[in-house]
Amino acid sequence: MSYRLMTAPDTPLPSGWNPVMPLSVADPVTPLTRWKLQRALSEPQTCLDALQTGATAQPLPDRVDNPQCGIANQVRLSMVGAAQVAPFETRCQTALRMAMWVTHGVIPAANTHLSLDVAEVRHYSSYSCRQIRTLGGSNNRMSTHATADAIDISGFVLADGTEVSLSKHWTAGGPKAAFLRQVRDTACDWFRLTLGPDFNRLHADHFHLQNTGSGLCR
């Protein structure tokens, strides 16, 4: 009976609360959301289907530059939630996490602290075939950017044209700094690893957000 109730065309159960309905980025966050997100991340087509409920993304063939660098499940992203981005190539999984973060983290934080919506998310792109950068220089490990499992976010443009950047406003105090800190905290909810200015000086002007990682939130 309960399964028929969930699958009936006229079910009263909202899709965000319905375990048989796939993830929709626009649905309110419920106790089922992260479970649905993990299911969507697990397969290329389910990821793309979920991404297209909350982003403008063009699927592209997989990119292979060498054995260490390339983009599986590649998409070209030009909008996340209601916010534009300068178009860039990334993994569907990275893009889907970003869409969830912008919709359920960034835009609510802007409404709370700045009383405005976010019109644009600024970034330093996602894919870069390179090694990890450390305070001591590069090392022998490849960066997660080499597989587009990360995105670097530099700031935001609000609906009235106001710019908020990590380089200018992280330590400035006031509502813009509070907005950026809430944005960082909510990124930790949607990405597997989040690094920002509090981590080290290499991240003074951006958030490094990863699809993969150990859960570090700095």
Side-chain angles (χ1 to χ4, degrees), residues 24-25 27 32 71 78 81 84 90 115 119 139 152 157 181 211:
S24 173
V25 173
D27 279 344
L32 296 177
I71 309 176
S78 57
Q84 294 183 338
T90 189
S115 300
N139 63 24
D152 288 344
V157 179
R181 278 162 174 75
N211 170 51

Side-chain angles (χ1 to χ4, degrees), residues 7-209:
T7 57
D10 58 347
T11 177
L13 195 62
S15 64
W17 287 90
N18 191 332
V20 304
M21 295 295 291
L23 177 72
S24 173
V25 173
D27 279 344
V29 176
T30 75
L32 296 177
T33 300
R34 282 170 178 77
W35 173 74
K36 289 188 175 193
L37 175 60
Q38 291 305 314
R39 291 185 65 190
L41 294 169
S42 66
E43 296 289 341
Q45 189 59 52
T46 56
C47 181
L48 184 60
D49 290 344
L51 180 62
Q52 291 177 335
T53 68
T56 301
Q58 175 189 0
L60 298 173
D62 288 356
R63 173 173 180 168
V64 180
D65 289 336
N66 59 51
Q68 295 179 300
C69 297
I71 309 176
N73 309 325
Q74 183 178 201
V75 297
R76 182 173 177 82
L77 194 65
S78 57
M79 181 169 283
V80 282
Q84 294 183 338
V85 294
F88 67 99
E89 288 75 42
T90 189
R91 289 195 73 185
C92 181
Q93 287 85 347
T94 304
L96 180 54
R97 289 186 184 277
M98 187 175 174
M100 295 297 290
W101 171 59
V102 170
T103 301
H104 301 291
V106 176
I107 291 175
N111 293 161
T112 297
H113 295 286
L114 305 169
S115 300
L116 287 164
D117 285 332
V118 173
E120 180 183 353
V121 179
R122 292 188 168 170
H123 62 88
Y124 293 143
S125 197
S126 174
Y127 178 68
S128 178
C129 184
R130 62 173 174 82
Q131 295 172 331
I132 293 174
R133 294 170 182 156
T134 70
L135 293 175
S138 296
N139 63 24
N140 293 326
R141 293 174 56 200
M142 295 301 292
S143 167
T144 47
H145 286 287
T147 52
D149 275 301
I151 175 73
D152 288 344
I153 303 297
S154 60
F156 308 88
V157 179
L158 305 179
D160 66 350
T162 298
E163 298 182 6
V164 183
S165 69
L166 275 78
S167 61
K168 293 180 180 178
H169 300 115
W170 182 260
T171 58
K176 291 181 180 178
F179 161 69
L180 289 174
R181 278 162 174 75
Q182 185 171 334
V183 161
R184 188 273 313 277
D185 292 347
T186 59
C188 299
D189 293 333
W190 299 108
F191 288 89
R192 294 293 304 275
L193 184 144
T194 298
L195 304 178
D198 287 347
F199 181 62
N200 63 25
R201 66 175 182 267
L202 294 178
H203 297 82
D205 64 349
H206 69 277
F207 296 128
H208 172 88
L209 309 178

